[in-house]
Amino acid sequence: LFLLLLLFGCNSPTNSGETLTFSGITETDSDGNIVGNIDSDDWCPFDMNVMDSGYGLNPIYPNPVVAQESGHGNSYKICYEYSSPYDSTFITSNHIYFDILSTNNDTIYNTEDPYSNGPWGSCILLPDTLVIDSIYRMHLTSDDWNCFGDIQFQ
């Protein structure tokens, strides 16, 4: 299934002014394995074991995501893996932005990585009070590249 996602996942990066439609999600388990539906319009997969994969954004996991008690109330735990061009000298890095938007373009999460260099992974906790819709979109954007994928909240 991962090979299918690699082949059909992201035909080309999207433009920031492009109108996007929500067509479904790529279903993943809590370890990032694809376990069901694959939305071929989403994500820009890469191999986390390859240091110089270029730009990429693997499907978040788990997807769909369910709120759980986190010690500070109910939260959604979302993990994601991304990649940018690698420079072994660490002289050149890539500035990457992450946003999670609602169908109305309301931002519920944003962060940036001004020193991205190669593959990386991260997990975040989103308070359930921020999530009012069932479908959101994660965007990864750099100066010359953009990718997105849809997230279902339950």
Side-chain angles (χ1 to χ4, degrees), residues 83-102:
S83 181
S84 65
Y86 177 70
D87 177 6
S88 62
T89 65
F90 289 87
I91 293 173
T92 304
S93 60
N94 306 281
H95 202 133
I96 294 181
Y97 301 89
F98 300 91
D99 298 285
I100 298 179
L101 306 171
S102 73

Side-chain angles (χ1 to χ4, degrees), residues 1 3 5 13 26-27 44-45 52 54 58 61 64 72 78 80 89 95 101 108 110-111 124-125 127 135 141 152 154:
L1 286 178
L3 181 58
L5 189 60
T26 297
E27 296 175 19
C44 303
D52 193 6
N58 284 338
Y61 54 94
H72 303 286
I78 297 172
Y80 58 97
T89 65
H95 202 133
L101 306 171
I108 64 167
N110 68 339
T111 191
I124 59 172
L125 290 175
I135 297 286
T141 309
Q152 181 178 357
Q154 295 182 333

Side-chain angles (χ1 to χ4, degrees), residues 12-139:
S12 62
T14 57
N15 298 319
S16 59
E18 191 175 337
T19 301
L20 302 173
T21 57
F22 292 82
S23 59
I25 65 166
T26 297
E27 296 175 19
T28 58
D29 65 16
S30 60
D31 295 320
N33 301 306
I34 296 172
V35 294
N37 182 57
I38 297 174
D39 184 350
S40 61
D41 295 327
D42 287 0
W43 310 107
C44 303
F46 68 97
D47 185 345
M48 274 292 282
N49 297 315
V50 176
M51 188 55 80
D52 193 6
S53 299
Y55 287 107
L57 179 61
N58 284 338
I60 66 107
Y61 54 94
N63 198 10
V65 61
V66 177
Q68 298 177 2
E69 173 60 38
S70 65
H72 303 286
N74 287 334
S75 297
Y76 294 96
K77 182 180 179 182
I78 297 172
C79 296
Y80 58 97
E81 300 170 342
Y82 63 96
S83 181
S84 65
Y86 177 70
D87 177 6
S88 62
T89 65
F90 289 87
I91 293 173
T92 304
S93 60
N94 306 281
H95 202 133
I96 294 181
Y97 301 89
F98 300 91
D99 298 285
I100 298 179
L101 306 171
S102 73
T103 55
N104 297 320
N105 285 323
D106 296 321
T107 302
I108 64 167
Y109 173 79
N110 68 339
T111 191
E112 61 185 289
D113 180 354
Y115 305 106
S116 180
N117 189 21
W120 193 255
S122 183
C123 293
I124 59 172
L125 290 175
L126 289 174
D128 67 345
T129 55
L130 292 177
V131 177
I132 56 174
D133 294 325
S134 62
I135 297 286
Y136 285 79
R137 176 161 289 161
M138 176 180 242
H139 286 269

